[in-house]
Structure formats: structure tokens, C-alpha cells
Amino acid sequence: MFNLDQRSPVSSMTAALKEWAVAVSALTDGKTIVLLRKGGIREQGGRFAVHQHRVWLYPTYEHQKPHLLKPEYAGQVSLVPSGWHPETVVISAWAEITHAIEVSEASIVEALLPFHIWNADFASERLKWKPRSPLSVLLLRAYRSPEPQAISYQPEYGGCKSWIELQANLSPEVAKPVLSDADYQRRVHQITAIVAPDITKES
């Protein structure tokens, strides 16, 4: 769990977390609050780490694989003309990463299956890839903008990395939380009871 006092003001936010477009959509629609990460090839040290706690949600079309999604999400995957990214990227939300918990046990990953958009094959694949590195379970509270903001794609945004700095002036203050305080905390409690029971007992 993070210390809120150490986070940067929302108004100065330029950092973005890259994630499959279908996952960003699920977060901004309130379908899930969970992301599972191990880091891309170009991550510093080859391992995922949370560098910023308030981030724009950057939808990426790189490596989206319908066969690793639950059926209700697999049909939402669409191709872009370039095959990798659109010329214009639509940013519709930012998120606060409230928890980042590392797990290594297959039983815990399996128990998380009802709470995210991926199927059992994806979860198992993520855990087995780089087996010495734990899987990061991120819990995010999404804030959706009333009007999505379009930005131009930049070459620096591409590649197998989780974090980018947006070269655009976006307005986060007008965004509203997707879930109420009570609903978000209820989901957090359900998930931390699985991945971090000590946190749940303290809360």
C-alpha cells in the first residue's frame, strides 16, 4: 500500500502506464480494478516496478491476443491499420495505483481469476515467464474524463515498456472516479484478502 503524501499533484501528471486497449476499456468501465504485470523487454532491469502512482491509462494495441482473454473480452480486440498503433491515441482516463503486490504462488494467481479480464492460460503464462520474478498485482482506481482527449502517436510511445511520458497537455482535474469510494474499497478488500491477507486484517 502506498503513502498518499508521497504522490505528485494530479495537475502535473504526464506519466502514462501502457496496457492493452481492452484492459484500459475494462478499467474505465468499472469492470475490473486489476492488472497483472511482469514488465516488458525494455523495462529497466528487465523487471516491472511502479515508478508513478497517478498515471494516464495509455491504450496499446501491441501484442493484444484474444485467445488469452475471457470470452466476453476477446471479441473486443480490434486491429488498427498499422497493425501496431493508431496515428491518434485516445486517452479517456487516468488511474491511481493504490496497491502493487508481488505474488509467486500459482494458487493465488488462480484465485484471482474472477477479478480480471484474462483467462487462466494468460495468468499461468505470466507467472511462468521469467519464473524467478514475481507477478505484480496492481489495483487501480480509474478516473474517467467527460470527454476523451486525442493525442498524436509518438515513436517514443512504442516498444515493450510499461511507462511513458506523454508529450501532450491533458486535463486530469475534470475526470470523475469510475467507482464510488465504497464500491472500490469493497473490491480492494476482496482482492487483498487473497493476495495480502495481512493488509486486509489491518484495514
Side-chain angles (χ1 to χ4, degrees):
M1 195 176 299
F2 300 117
N3 184 342
L4 285 169
D5 295 336
Q6 296 177 351
R7 302 181 194 176
S8 59
V10 171
S11 59
S12 63
M13 189 170 58
T14 58
L17 175 63
K18 293 177 61 176
E19 185 52 84
W20 288 7
V22 64
V24 169
S25 178
L27 287 168
T28 57
D29 288 342
K31 300 287 183 62
T32 186
I33 66 168
V34 178
L35 293 181
L36 305 177
R37 302 301 291 262
K38 261 204 179 178
I41 295 172
R42 294 174 60 185
E43 301 288 2
Q44 185 176 4
R47 180 174 175 175
F48 179 82
V50 176
H51 298 295
Q52 299 287 342
H53 304 115
R54 287 175 172 149
V55 293
W56 292 103
L57 295 174
Y58 182 96
T60 178
Y61 298 84
E62 300 168 315
H63 310 305
Q64 287 196 118
K65 298 177 181 178
H67 70 278
L68 295 179
L69 294 162
K70 293 175 182 174
E72 60 265 38
Y73 298 102
Q76 298 179 25
V77 174
S78 58
L79 299 177
V80 295
S82 69
W84 290 97
H85 57 79
E87 294 183 2
T88 300
V89 180
V90 177
I91 306 294
S92 59
W94 63 273
E96 185 172 48
I97 303 173
T98 62
H99 300 70
I101 305 165
E102 295 184 341
V103 300
S104 300
E105 296 81 4
S107 59
I108 292 179
V109 175
E110 182 178 352
L112 285 173
L113 191 59
F115 297 98
H116 57 71
I117 70 171
W118 294 282
N119 60 26
D121 290 340
F122 175 91
S124 176
E125 180 182 281
R126 288 290 87 188
L127 188 62
K128 292 176 181 177
W129 185 62
K130 293 184 179 180
R132 294 184 179 181
S133 298
L135 184 70
S136 291
V137 179
L138 306 185
L139 305 187
L140 302 91
R141 187 173 188 188
Y143 292 76
R144 183 168 49 207
S145 300
E147 294 186 9
Q149 303 170 83
I151 63 173
S152 298
Y153 174 81
Q154 302 294 328
E156 301 93 300
Y157 300 164
C160 296
K161 54 190 175 184
S162 299
W163 305 99
I164 58 175
E165 288 289 326
L166 298 182
Q167 300 177 26
N169 184 20
L170 303 180
S171 302
E173 293 93 342
V174 297
K176 302 297 182 184
V178 173
L179 300 173
S180 68
D181 292 347
D183 195 6
Y184 185 74
Q185 290 304 321
R186 178 181 59 81
R187 298 195 197 188
V188 167
H189 190 275
Q190 290 175 326
I191 295 164
T192 54
I194 296 170
V195 298
D198 290 341
I199 292 177
T200 304
K201 291 176 183 177
E202 293 172 1
S203 60

